[in-house]
Amino acid sequence: MLDLLAGSHIVDAALLIVAAEALLLVLWRRRGGPGRGALLINLASGACLMLALRAVLAGAPGYWLAASLAGAGAAHVADLWLRLRSAAP
């Protein structure tokens, strides 16, 4: 159990859960559920942050960390833009 928590495998498990959640949101939307754009962008931001954590834990080259953080930042900006656009009068 400690090996699971000490390595990057716990992040892999969390990323699988996020991927399953995204798939369920897409399928739910096809059946008439709420809009999925903002939710998927929010999930993408969190997934990119988890990828950054995984890159650090796995000792990956720095460009993987930079790319993951750039993706999280881009998703965050997109999320803010959608929220501010919908809140505008």
Side-chain angles (χ1 to χ4, degrees), residues 37-86:
L39 292 173
L40 291 178
I41 289 173
N42 198 322
L43 281 175
S45 178
C48 286
L49 288 173
M50 284 189 271
L51 286 171
L53 174 62
R54 189 189 189 296
V56 170
L57 291 175
Y63 57 83
W64 286 111
L65 175 61
S68 300
L69 291 175
H76 178 65
V77 167
D79 182 42
L80 285 175
W81 182 74
L82 285 175
R83 290 173 192 260
L84 291 174
R85 187 181 69 159
S86 67

